[in-house]
Amino acid sequence: MQNRMPLVEAMLKYKNDKVYPFHTPGHKGGRGMETLLREQLGAGALAMDVSLMSELDDIHAPTTYIKEAQDLAAQLYGSDKCFFAVNGTTGAIHAMLMAACSAGDKVLVPRNAHRSVAGALLLANLEPVFVMPEYDAAFGINTQITPEAVEQAFSRHADIKAVLVTSPNYYGQAADLAAIAEVAHAHNAALLVDEAHGPHLGFNKKLPPSALQCGADACAQSTHKILGAMTQCSLLHVKGGRIDLARAAEVMSLLTTTSPNYLLMASLDAARYTLETQGAELAEKALAAAAKLRDLLGSFAGLRLLDASCVGTNGVAGFDLTKVTVNTAAWGCSGVEVGNALRRADIAVELTDAANVLFLVTYADGGAEYDAILAKIKAVFAELEQHKRTPLAAESFDKLPEFTTAMPLRTAFDAAKESVPLNEAEGRICAEQVSFYPPGIPVLWPGELVTRGVLDYCQRMKALGLPVSGPADYTLTELRVIK
């Protein structure tokens, strides 16, 4: 029965039984927690922060409440098996790749894949076969890989075992997953989808279909990004016979803590329930809220909004209208500058890059509070409009530079390393990941040659003030290279 929350109900029963805990966690239902934090979190939540125990089921060998909650999620999404992931979609992606492949296998990877993919390839000792995504010069964003590019990769590497696609991307652009699935399956390879930004897809005809609906063999979803789950909560779905379900369960157990947070798992159970009982209605609410923001931003001359017109170009087969991306290049403003101006007005956005600002809208938005925030956004943009500058040149946009693999990923990761000044690293072999976050797409992977193009890209991103993720030196003054 989908109108139940089995894990939430079991935890509430445990709480209401007023069991005295001679077990972990050590704060004992909040009794031992610092007063300030205890007051903010609330006694009810802390009483439900319980440890792994038989009467609340075991995520490593679920037989009752967790099993039922996961089974309900699988039924809702149409997968054969769903796993609760409490290490975010990063952990789900690690498990997905390790379940689908064996050490030494080749995996087709879009060059704009999230940095978690590199971690998965390292853990599983897999070999990436990179494919460059298409590029939207008007917005300065990397979009999607095409079915044709996937087919060409198979012509060069017939032994590719899995195709990984990020769909939708951060900006809401979906790949042609149905066509890519056909290509992958024709070559006896599994289609794996990083669907971090798409746990809501497939529940409303105005949104793109989900990865599973398009024929994916597995997908990892950030339930916390779009739906009502707590941060760090994700789902891993497996469907069809190309991935062994027993191996997937074994890998998930291997990569999951033996002390999973039950509040996180309960929020996954509750998010599934909300989606099942109100999914279409809430999708309409999110779309309506996004439309209001889109109309507001579209009223300013010179600003460009990413919309459904991108479908059919640059490998994009669908677009999620709840992602509102505005390009401010015509005003001479970087996305980072605009994001900072909004933050000074107590508004925090999801992403800023060289020329864009991304507002993430969900069904939690709407009503009088939302209208008041829209008025503040309008005021910020009206102020920015008064100080327009020379339009930004296209070279300031975020096009990923070309790459050269000089050494296998795992070999480079395990090799002896040394740090050198970034401006002296040209010609050296990189020994660490370098990405700017968000969106967390590596510009350098371990084993790649540090070229002048890569260095110029890094300097442009640093000048914009984008945070660096991955390297040992988070200021990126120095770079770790092969000794």
Side-chain angles (χ1 to χ4, degrees):
M1 294 285 291
Q2 284 282 351
N3 61 349
R4 291 193 58 232
M5 293 179 280
L7 184 56
V8 173
E9 292 163 12
M11 291 171 64
L12 282 170
K13 182 181 183 303
Y14 186 83
K15 169 179 172 285
N16 293 333
D17 284 346
K18 300 188 185 302
V19 177
Y20 188 87
F22 280 107
H23 58 69
T24 58
H27 64 70
K28 300 294 186 81
R31 298 170 180 84
M33 185 169 284
E34 178 59 41
T35 303
L36 177 62
L37 186 57
R38 182 175 69 242
E39 290 174 348
Q40 292 298 314
L41 293 176
L46 291 172
M48 293 176 69
D49 182 21
V50 294
S51 106
L52 190 151
M53 57 188 66
S54 59
E55 63 187 288
L56 293 178
D57 208 1
D58 180 354
I59 195 172
H60 294 277
T63 58
T64 56
Y65 306 113
I66 294 175
K67 179 182 184 302
E68 185 178 355
Q70 292 184 150
D71 288 349
L72 288 171
Q75 291 171 23
L76 177 63
Y77 281 96
S79 60
D80 293 333
K81 187 72 175 178
C82 175
F83 301 92
F84 284 1
V86 293
N87 190 30
T89 306
T90 292
I93 286 172
H94 290 175
M96 181 168 65
L97 278 158
M98 291 182 71
C101 303
S102 300
D105 284 349
K106 292 181 180 178
V107 180
L108 186 151
V109 178
R111 187 61 191 186
N112 60 339
H114 187 261
R115 63 188 301 268
S116 60
V117 174
L121 298 176
L122 282 167
L123 287 170
N125 195 15
L126 304 175
E127 180 183 343
V129 175
F130 289 116
V131 173
M132 288 298 290
E134 299 296 301
Y135 182 71
D136 183 341
F139 282 85
I141 59 177
N142 301 282
T143 57
Q144 290 291 352
I145 61 173
T146 65
E148 294 76 15
V150 174
E151 185 65 68
Q152 290 170 10
F154 275 106
S155 70
R156 300 190 305 271
H157 301 272
D159 54 346
I160 290 173
K161 296 298 183 184
V163 173
L164 185 135
V165 181
T166 304
S167 181
N169 63 9
Y170 226 124
Y171 304 92
Q173 298 170 312
D176 190 349
L177 291 180
I180 293 174
E182 287 188 12
V183 174
H185 295 161
H187 292 277
N188 200 31
L191 173 60
L192 315 177
V193 180
D194 173 358
E195 201 175 25
H197 290 275
H200 60 311
L201 300 187
F203 291 92
N204 187 291
K205 292 182 179 179
K206 297 177 185 177
L207 298 171
S210 71
L212 292 173
Q213 290 170 337
C214 292
D217 299 286
C219 65
Q221 302 169 329
S222 290
T223 318
H224 68 94
K225 280 186 169 69
I226 309 294
L227 304 180
M230 295 172 68
T231 296
Q232 203 172 309
C233 297
S234 300
L235 298 175
L236 172 62
H237 293 282
V238 181
K239 182 178 182 179
R242 292 181 180 83
I243 299 175
D244 182 75
L245 295 179
R247 178 177 172 85
E250 183 179 18
V251 171
M252 277 298 293
S253 180
L254 178 71
L255 296 175
T256 298
T257 174
T258 54
S259 302
N261 188 298
Y262 272 77
L263 289 172
L264 299 184
M265 292 188 288
S267 76
L268 281 167
D269 190 21
R272 184 274 314 159
Y273 173 82
T274 300
L275 193 60
E276 166 63 28
T277 56
Q278 306 174 63
E281 173 189 341
L282 293 177
E284 286 290 345
K285 186 171 185 278
L287 287 163
K292 292 181 75 170
L293 174 57
R294 197 178 294 277
D295 289 345
L296 184 158
L297 295 171
S299 68
F300 289 97
L303 297 183
R304 181 184 284 115
L305 286 162
L306 190 62
D307 57 27
S309 64
C310 68
V311 176
T313 63
N314 300 313
V316 179
F319 182 69
D320 176 6
L321 286 164
T322 66
K323 299 294 183 65
V324 181
T325 299
V326 58
N327 182 281
T328 58
W331 286 5
C333 298
S334 73
V336 176
E337 289 178 283
V338 177
N340 289 339
L342 288 163
R343 186 63 187 87
R344 289 192 293 271
D346 299 324
I347 297 166
V349 297
E350 174 66 14
L351 173 149
T352 59
D353 62 24
N356 302 294
V357 176
L358 169 60
F359 297 83
L360 188 154
V361 181
T362 75
Y363 59 73
D365 297 305
E369 179 189 22
Y370 185 66
D371 289 342
I373 294 301
L374 292 184
K376 292 179 71 172
I377 293 173
K378 183 175 181 179
V380 170
F381 275 85
E383 177 67 21
L384 291 168
E385 188 178 30
Q386 296 301 312
H387 300 88
K388 291 187 293 187
R389 304 191 299 267
T390 303
L392 296 178
E395 57 264 23
S396 68
F397 292 174
D398 190 15
K399 185 175 184 179
L400 288 169
E402 296 295 327
F403 63 93
T404 302
T405 301
M407 182 182 292
L409 177 65
R410 184 60 179 264
T411 302
F413 184 77
D414 291 337
K417 305 171 180 65
E418 63 181 348
S419 295
V420 299
L422 181 67
N423 58 9
E424 297 177 14
E426 185 175 359
R428 302 295 296 270
I429 298 174
C430 187
E432 59 186 353
Q433 268 198 88
V434 177
S435 58
F436 294 86
Y437 208 94
I441 295 170
V443 62
L444 274 171
W445 290 55
E448 291 185 347
L449 191 67
V450 183
T451 64
R452 174 47 50 189
V454 167
L455 291 176
D456 289 345
Y457 178 94
C458 290
Q459 295 293 4
R460 286 201 307 274
M461 296 302 106
K462 286 180 62 178
L464 285 168
L466 292 174
V468 184
S469 179
D473 175 11
Y474 287 101
T475 67
L476 201 55
T477 304
E478 294 188 332
L479 183 70
R480 298 270 282 169
V481 296
I482 301 300
K483 194 169 183 178

